[in-house]
């Protein structure tokens, strides 16, 4: 092991991503291997920017998130950095500074963009040259959904089945410019969620009578979703994405104690989006472990979707985004 006397800095940016076919449940909690594959889109306008400064004078890692020290999140960050330090054969501690340009911890995929940016920034600071697949595997160990933010556009995450988790990584499915969908996010609260994805998954897996059916049904949903994306078949993608999202929430709601991530505005948005689609506007919804609603729009549909969601009671703000690139280092 070597330690350098100089501070070394790496910086990176990664877009948030939302799953259209969801990840919910783990096969191996220690290695953070998901029980199911997933398919997502990476966003352009919602991102995390992270810098990692390796500092020989530090006795332990430090984390500043959105301008505030976050000691409560340090364990996961240090564990992720340790995996990279091991590869680089250094032990130097790091000061990590990270900023999200969107609400943190409210079901807007901050852990996905956060760990993807962390891996890329740490790689640069440590002078490693990883392959995209290695980055994805490392990001997965920080947070499962982060494995997908390494790539841009449409992305598929493979659950894998090897004991070491090394076949559990994401891969690009379709380029962002090949099908330029847009997203309108209805923000219905800015509060951090009460039950995070990680404990929500455990609770669903251990107590929901529907969890086994959720896992068994996933390969078929992935096939339909993958085929719809490859064929740019918006109608088919809309049907399977809404169905898959509601199945995930059914497994959460039927846990004990129940996990109801929605509020009233969430439900109003779902109905409004389904009404729009019935009226010929190509849009569908997806919802993660929080009450925000993501409306995925075919090219050209965004203005009508924004107009319909803006007026709904309980919708605090609309965010919009195109599809974006994968995680990358920044100067
Ligand atoms: C509902 O990736 O946050 O957003 O691996 O425990 O960090 P951990 O979970 P995380 O879970 C994301 C769950 C989801 C669905 C999805 O993004 O696929």
């Amino acid at each position: 092991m070597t330690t350098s006397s100089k501070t070394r800095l790496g910086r990176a940016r990664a877009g948030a991503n939302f799953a259209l076919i969801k990840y919910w449940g783990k096969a191996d909690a220690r290695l953070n291997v998901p029980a199911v594959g997933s398919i997502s889109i990476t966003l352009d306008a919602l991102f995390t920017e992270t810098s990692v400064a390796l500092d020989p004078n530090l006795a332990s890692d430090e984390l500043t998130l959105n301008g505030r020290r976050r000691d409560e999140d340090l364990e996961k960050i240090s564990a992720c950095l340790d995996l990279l330090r091991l590869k680089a054969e250094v032990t130097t501690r790091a000061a990590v500074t990270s900023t999200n340009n969107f609400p943190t911890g409210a079901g807007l995929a901050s852990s996905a963009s956060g760990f993807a940016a962390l891996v890329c920034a740490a790689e640069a600071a440590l002078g490693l040259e990883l392959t995209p697949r290695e980055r994805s595997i490392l990001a997965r160990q920080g947070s499962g959904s982060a494995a997908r933010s390494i790539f841009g556009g449409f992305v598929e995450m493979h659950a894998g089945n090897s004991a070491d988790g090394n076949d559990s990584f994401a891969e690009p499915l379709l380029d962002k410019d090949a099908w330029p969908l847009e997203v309108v996010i209805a923000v219905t609260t800015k509060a951090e969620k009460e039950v995070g994805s990680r404990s929500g998954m455990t609770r669903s897996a251990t107590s929901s009578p529907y969890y086994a059916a959720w896992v068994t049904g996933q390969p078929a949903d992935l096939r339909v979703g993958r085929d719809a994306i490859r064929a740019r078949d918006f109608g088919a993608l809309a049907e399977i994405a809404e169905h898959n999202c509601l199945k995930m929430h059914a497994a959460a709601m039927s846990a004990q104690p129940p996990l109801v991530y929605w509020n009233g505005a969430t439900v109003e948005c779902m109905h409004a989006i389904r009404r729009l689609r019935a009226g010929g506007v190509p849009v569908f919804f997806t919802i993660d472990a929080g009450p925000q609603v993501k409306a995925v729009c075919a090219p050209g549909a965004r203005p009508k979707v924004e107009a319909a969601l803006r007026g709904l009671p309980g919708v605090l703000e609309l965010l919009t985004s195109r599809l974006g690139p994968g995680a990358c280092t920044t100067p």
Side-chain angles (χ1 to χ4, degrees):
M1 296 273 175
T2 56
T3 45
S4 148
S5 59
K6 287 207 320 235
T7 299
R8 290 175 61 185
L9 187 67
R11 282 202 185 92
R13 173 194 278 215
N17 78 72
F18 302 137
L20 306 181
I21 306 293
K22 305 286 184 196
Y23 151 45
W24 193 251
K26 295 178 199 286
D28 182 327
R30 191 181 61 84
L31 293 171
N32 206 34
V33 173
V36 292
S38 53
I39 293 177
S40 60
I41 47 178
T42 302
L43 304 186
D44 189 27
L46 278 68
F47 54 81
T48 301
E49 285 180 311
T50 296
S51 70
V52 170
L54 291 170
D55 184 345
N57 299 315
L58 288 177
S60 56
D61 294 324
E62 291 176 355
L63 172 67
T64 306
L65 177 61
N66 299 327
R68 190 169 82 69
R69 277 288 290 264
R70 289 274 289 214
D71 292 342
E72 65 272 35
D73 293 331
L74 201 53
E75 199 179 319
K76 280 171 79 182
I77 301 290
S78 284
C80 182
L81 288 173
D82 282 345
L83 297 172
L84 284 114
R85 280 188 283 241
L86 195 64
K87 278 191 189 285
E89 300 187 340
V90 300
T91 54
T92 319
R93 305 287 107 187
V96 177
T97 308
S98 196
T99 316
N100 295 327
N101 74 338
F102 57 92
T104 298
L108 284 174
S110 54
S111 70
S113 51
F115 278 97
L118 179 69
V119 166
C120 294
E123 175 187 356
L126 289 161
L128 288 166
E129 286 186 23
L130 303 172
T131 63
R133 179 171 299 183
E134 287 173 316
R135 284 182 204 125
S136 185
I137 290 171
L138 287 164
R140 185 207 79 228
Q141 291 169 84
S143 182
S145 52
R148 302 184 308 232
S149 275
I150 296 296
F151 302 100
F154 298 81
V155 179
E156 177 160 5
M157 172 80 194
H158 307 288
N161 50 31
S162 76
D164 60 8
N166 284 343
D167 59 354
S168 181
F169 52 80
E171 281 186 309
L173 194 56
L174 184 73
D175 191 78
K176 64 184 173 55
D177 301 321
W179 201 19
L181 303 185
E182 290 183 81
V183 177
V184 177
I185 301 158
V187 178
T188 64
T189 180
K190 295 199 178 175
E192 294 206 17
K193 56 195 166 198
E194 284 164 25
V195 183
S197 306
R198 191 155 290 196
S199 50
M201 286 180 198
T202 309
R203 198 188 293 178
S204 301
T206 52
S207 66
S208 166
Y210 302 150
Y211 179 75
W214 155 255
V215 173
T216 314
Q218 190 77 343
D221 288 10
L222 286 165
R223 209 160 35 243
V224 175
R226 193 186 302 127
D227 289 350
I229 289 168
R230 287 199 178 125
R232 279 84 139 170
D233 182 341
F234 192 87
L237 186 59
E239 298 261 312
I240 195 66
E242 288 187 355
H243 182 56
N244 186 268
C245 165
L246 293 176
K247 284 201 292 181
M248 180 203 110
H249 282 277
M253 285 181 197
S254 51
Q256 277 180 323
L259 290 158
V260 182
Y261 284 112
W262 305 344
N263 59 30
T266 313
V267 178
E268 291 299 334
C269 288
M270 287 159 65
H271 285 304
I273 289 165
R274 289 181 63 79
R275 266 197 309 274
L276 281 170
R277 190 156 84 254
V281 179
V283 58
F284 64 86
F285 66 77
T286 191
I287 305 157
D288 293 300
Q292 330 292 7
V293 179
K294 292 106 184 192
V296 182
C297 312
R302 184 179 48 79
K304 282 189 181 149
V305 173
E306 280 188 272
L309 296 182
R310 182 167 289 122
L312 291 181
V315 172
L316 305 178
E317 187 188 351
L318 296 181
L319 308 173
T320 60
S321 182
R322 297 176 194 279
L323 303 190
C328 61
T329 51
T330 51

